[in-house]
Amino acid sequence: MRLKISHTTEYTYAEPVQYSLQRLRLTPLTQTGQTVISWETSVEGAKMEVGYDDHFGNRVNLVSVNGDQTSIRIVACGEVETEDKAGVYGAHQAYAPLWLYLRETPLTKMTKPIRNLAKAMVGDTDLAKMHALMGTIAETVEYRQGETGTETTAEQALLQKSGVCQDHAHIMIAAARTLGLPARYVSGYLMMEDHPEQTASHAWAEVHLTGLGWVGFDAANKMCPDDRYVRIACGLDYRDAAPISGLIHGASSEALKVSVTVEQQGQSQSQTQSQ
């Protein structure tokens, strides 16, 4: 499947920004299940400083603002050819060792509710247990926007039984690690049909299983990634794989507007978020 993606992020500041350094993880790489046909990232109101590959294998661009600016616009767009691999990404490839993905983070702490969730999973194999876990999370944690944020932990989302794809991924990751399975957070895009409420930028979990390598589990949609998915970045949790992160000095407040469009063979979906 060939997907055409356009992702625009605009920051508007109430007062001029004196200095800003943003880390962009907006570049898909050719890898298992996807071939990048074309891709370009551009910025307005800021300067592209340098690009590098981090220890998770993500392509990162640093963007700076030095001087008064009241707005920054970042556009990432291109085409990616995808293949259905039934969720199997395969062997581990990155500078970060596999054991690192067993480590809990502030967003994926292995607390008692998480451990109880993991222990309740049954299955003849780890793969069967992960499918059971994905299904249980999907049935337990209702997808609702506006009730969680980027600092919401896996435990908080599990206890309140609601959240977005980021929360479903964190719960899946924390529970898998509780069972001794390396797990990681993946950010990217998902082409959804007939789901206008779908967040444009998506996230899911991958668990490393013996004999298969990394396998994707999208608990928010109760499915393993197929050719509708495009991977952008991965890490221990959201903070490692967020599309844009960084620091800003000199702004009292900011307004963020994000718009993403995913198109395939004449079909399209688009969504605009503002806050």
Side-chain angles (χ1 to χ4, degrees):
M1 180 182 297
R2 179 171 292 201
L3 300 177
K4 184 178 180 180
I5 301 164
S6 178
H7 185 169
T8 301
T9 305
E10 296 178 276
Y11 294 94
T12 303
Y13 305 103
E15 298 178 4
V17 172
Q18 297 172 358
Y19 181 76
S20 166
L21 185 63
Q22 302 278 30
R23 186 183 295 112
L24 311 184
R25 302 182 192 86
L26 291 167
T27 305
L29 301 176
T30 294
Q31 53 192 285
T32 301
Q34 66 185 42
T35 300
V36 178
I37 307 302
S38 64
W39 197 265
E40 181 180 8
T41 302
S42 60
V43 297
E44 297 176 11
K47 178 184 178 183
M48 192 78 79
E49 293 286 357
V50 67
Y52 63 92
D53 295 334
D54 69 12
H55 56 294
F56 294 113
N58 306 319
R59 187 61 180 171
V60 181
N61 289 301
L62 291 182
V63 173
S64 71
V65 170
N66 199 348
D68 291 347
Q69 285 289 342
T70 56
S71 65
I72 301 174
R73 187 170 189 263
I74 302 166
V75 179
C77 59
E79 293 188 359
V80 181
E81 188 80 32
T82 59
E83 181 182 0
D84 185 0
K85 306 291 286 187
V88 179
Y89 180 79
H92 179 62
Q93 301 175 14
Y95 297 115
L98 194 56
W99 56 260
L100 185 66
Y101 297 91
L102 290 167
R103 177 186 296 177
E104 69 175 14
T105 68
L107 295 175
T108 59
K109 283 188 175 297
M110 293 177 273
T111 59
K112 185 176 181 180
I114 295 293
R115 293 196 301 271
N116 290 339
L117 170 69
K119 290 178 181 177
M121 296 302 106
V122 296
D124 295 333
T125 65
D126 287 335
L127 178 62
K129 291 180 181 178
M130 291 302 99
H131 276 287
L133 177 61
M134 177 174 65
T136 299
I137 295 171
E139 294 165 3
T140 304
V141 182
E142 182 180 355
Y143 184 93
R144 286 207 299 266
Q145 293 181 329
E147 298 188 0
T148 57
T150 57
E151 299 301 318
T152 301
T153 67
E155 181 189 39
Q156 290 170 335
L158 177 62
L159 293 178
Q160 73 180 37
K161 298 182 178 181
S162 65
V164 295
C165 56
Q166 172 184 309
D167 304 300
H168 292 87
H170 282 157
I171 297 170
M172 184 92 199
I173 292 166
R177 289 174 182 163
T178 296
L179 297 174
L181 299 172
R184 64 187 181 187
Y185 185 100
V186 181
S187 63
Y189 302 105
L190 168 60
M191 190 197 73
M192 293 289 286
E193 298 177 358
D194 303 323
H195 286 279
E197 75 281 2
Q198 168 72 14
T199 54
S201 182
H202 197 51
W204 58 96
E206 286 184 342
V207 181
H208 195 275
L209 301 173
T210 301
L212 291 173
W214 290 108
V215 180
F217 296 92
D218 180 5
N221 291 293
K222 200 178 178 179
M223 65 175 71
C224 290
D226 55 21
D227 56 355
R228 292 169 295 175
Y229 289 69
V230 172
R231 300 172 91 264
I232 296 290
C234 66
L236 298 183
D237 60 23
Y238 166 79
R239 293 174 181 173
D240 292 329
I244 299 176
S245 61
L247 57 87
I248 296 175
H249 292 296
S252 58
S253 62
E254 68 177 23
L256 172 65
K257 182 179 180 181
V258 179
S259 62
V260 175
T261 301
V262 181
E263 298 177 298
Q264 183 264 327
Q265 294 181 346
Q267 300 176 341
S268 67
Q269 65 164 357
S270 64
Q271 180 180 7
T272 299
Q273 290 181 316
S274 61
Q275 64 182 47

